[in-house]
Amino acid sequence: MTEEPPGPSSDSAAELGKAFEGLLEAIRSAERDIVAGPAFSNNIEMAAGYQHIMRSIKKAIEGAVLQDVDFPYLSILDFWQREGGDNPDQRYAFSPVRGGEDYRIWGSLGSACRVEVQLYSGDPWAGPGAGASVGYLTFEEMMVADDGSFEVQLTSDPANAGSNALVNPAEATSVFVRHVCDEWDADYAGEVHIDRVGFEGNRQLPPTAAEMVERLDAASHMVERAITVWPDFVNKMYVEGGEPNSVSPLFDTYAMGGARGRWMASGHYTLDAGDTLVFTMPPTNAQYQAIQVADLWFASLEYGNLTSSLTTKQMVRSTDGNYHVVVSPEDPRHANWLDTGGRMTGVFLLRYDGVEGDVPTDQHPTTNVVKTSELEAYIPGFQVVDANGRSAARAARRQHLQIRTNR
């Protein structure tokens, strides 16, 4: 006869109840901060603020409560789970890991132009002292087979850190894998998976009450950080950190603890009726060059059914040799339109990946506010796209995302 599991413990029930109440209070506290924040300013941003709360709850439940570091499955930061200035051209896959242990990451490149693996300790996005990047494997360093397949080892032994391997230091807590797509076509999407080495085939037992208390506490911590950090980051770094409608100089993110070979520029926009923001982007030696708009909660705008991001592979190049991109709440008829979905305010990010050496200052992007009525005269070789063209472009983007996400 099978032995019955032990009955409920009053102490365990009390601890679980306390941990769950802590999660609820973390949500309530974060909501109060959101409602009191400067971004909670109009009907669109109020709704977006509550979307931000719900996305953060979803991520915390999945990342802290449901995932298991010994039997991991990669979670996907997709079009439902947007945060942290997420790039529409990237599929982010992430999982918690045990620092100092061995893992195997395997998959295929598919239609992506790049794939990269990064290890983190803590939450580096939450500010100084909250965490750090502790390992990074660039696409240039990765060995990818002729059929697009790859395998990367996270190893506890530095002696084993050869090609396609990263040392997994004791302080590591999570791993991110990024597929980058510069052409949104209908080809098959790449894939990626993770195993803890030596645990394949082991029995996965259910969590104990004590383990669930730890997971609920971790979820509370994640909720508080995810909900409150991003709008505060946008306000300090973008809204208060620079003049509206101006773009920062390109900077090397690797010099600041980011990805090697990745340069970025950013800023925030505030438009009046009848105005557009025009970016002039000279070509560079970057393998991947792109621009996107995001909201004041630092979430990418709808990008499957709006064109809120563009790569140079998707843009038309003007007769002066530059790429001119127009940010506008309504259709300016130019081919390179970033659609804000009616928003008059927000942030923008420009990414340059696979950069060799430096990006000369004369190749840095610039901006100018231009009246919609004056755009055709302002942009050399202005290329018109009509309503049918817009509809076809959105349909193609939607199909790509359906294939990329298998949904």
Side-chain angles (χ1 to χ4, degrees):
M1 178 180 292
T2 303
E3 184 179 348
E4 291 291 328
S9 161
S10 59
D11 290 343
S12 295
E15 289 299 315
L16 282 165
K18 180 181 177 182
F20 187 72
E21 183 57 36
L23 175 57
L24 296 179
E25 180 51 37
I27 295 170
R28 296 187 192 103
S29 175
E31 183 207 15
R32 291 191 289 268
D33 289 340
I34 290 296
V35 172
F40 201 76
S41 55
N42 57 59
N43 282 339
I44 291 179
E45 299 305 343
M46 290 177 183
Y50 276 90
Q51 275 187 313
H52 173 63
I53 293 172
M54 301 309 293
R55 288 169 177 157
S56 299
I57 294 170
K58 176 181 180 291
K59 181 183 178 183
I61 292 172
E62 187 174 88
V65 178
L66 302 181
Q67 292 202 76
D68 190 316
V69 292
D70 296 322
F71 299 90
Y73 295 99
L74 288 161
S75 296
I76 304 298
L77 192 73
D78 59 11
F79 44 72
W80 289 329
Q81 184 59 57
R82 301 173 182 167
E83 68 165 26
D86 56 301
N87 182 0
D89 297 320
Q90 295 187 16
R91 184 178 63 186
Y92 303 83
F94 58 95
S95 172
V97 296
R98 290 192 190 277
E101 301 295 341
D102 296 341
Y103 290 82
R104 181 175 73 100
I105 295 170
W106 52 282
S108 63
L109 184 63
S111 57
C113 66
R114 301 174 62 83
V115 64
E116 54 196 33
V117 181
Q118 192 161 14
L119 279 166
Y120 292 102
S121 66
D123 305 317
W125 44 268
S133 173
V134 294
Y136 181 65
L137 187 66
T138 68
F139 181 63
E140 288 74 18
E141 297 167 324
M142 189 180 299
M143 294 178 61
V144 178
D146 292 341
D147 63 358
S149 62
F150 62 86
E151 182 171 313
V152 174
Q153 302 293 327
L154 306 183
T155 177
S156 57
D157 185 356
N160 294 332
S163 59
N164 277 30
L166 279 176
V167 174
N168 182 18
E171 65 270 25
T173 56
S174 62
V175 63
F176 273 62
V177 183
R178 302 176 182 90
H179 278 81
V180 184
C181 297
D182 60 350
E183 296 185 76
W184 288 31
D185 53 31
D187 288 346
Y188 75 96
E191 58 183 286
V192 65
H193 313 281
I194 186 171
D195 292 298
R196 181 173 173 189
V197 175
F199 277 65
E200 307 93 330
N202 287 3
R203 294 177 69 216
Q204 182 181 11
L205 299 177
T208 65
E211 289 170 338
M212 183 53 65
V213 167
E214 291 181 359
R215 295 186 186 191
L216 289 170
D217 288 343
S220 299
H221 174 75
M222 189 180 292
V223 160
E224 288 179 309
R225 281 199 163 176
I227 292 178
T228 59
V229 162
W230 293 124
D232 185 60
F233 177 88
V234 168
N235 192 53
K236 289 180 179 178
M237 296 297 294
Y238 291 84
V239 178
E240 296 177 356
E243 292 297 318
N245 305 321
S246 64
V247 59
S248 72
L250 283 169
F251 62 91
D252 183 356
T253 65
Y254 185 65
M256 303 175 66
R260 189 181 300 112
R262 173 172 295 152
W263 289 59
M264 290 189 67
S266 59
H268 73 286
Y269 68 89
T270 299
L271 298 174
D272 295 325
D275 285 346
T276 68
L277 179 62
V278 180
F279 287 80
T280 298
M281 301 169 58
T284 70
N285 68 13
Q287 183 197 23
Y288 161 86
Q289 186 173 328
I291 181 173
Q292 72 170 107
V293 282
D295 66 20
L296 296 176
W297 310 98
F298 216 28
S300 61
L301 300 190
E302 166 59 42
Y303 51 80
N305 305 290
L306 291 179
T307 304
S308 61
S309 68
L310 286 170
T311 73
T312 50
K313 294 286 184 67
Q314 299 165 333
M315 299 175 194
V316 299
R317 195 167 171 182
S318 292
T319 54
D320 65 353
N322 295 313
Y323 300 98
H324 296 279
V325 177
V326 182
V327 174
S328 174
E330 301 299 336
D331 192 345
R333 299 174 65 245
H334 186 251
N336 300 337
W337 174 37
L338 290 186
D339 187 350
T340 71
R343 281 180 163 89
M344 306 300 287
T345 59
V347 299
F348 50 82
L349 298 98
L350 293 82
R351 293 179 175 88
Y352 297 63
D353 283 2
V355 173
E356 297 180 4
D358 295 334
V359 180
T361 54
D362 62 357
Q363 294 178 8
H364 287 212
T366 58
T367 57
N368 198 16
V369 176
V370 181
K371 294 291 184 185
T372 305
S373 58
E374 299 172 1
L375 272 177
E376 191 162 350
Y378 180 80
I379 298 176
F382 189 95
Q383 296 196 39
V384 174
V385 173
D386 62 16
N388 289 334
R390 296 294 191 208
S391 179
R394 286 190 291 265
R397 289 174 73 88
R398 177 177 174 84
Q399 183 182 46
H400 164 82
L401 280 177
Q402 288 172 317
I403 293 171
R404 189 205 295 184
T405 60
N406 194 27
R407 294 174 181 170

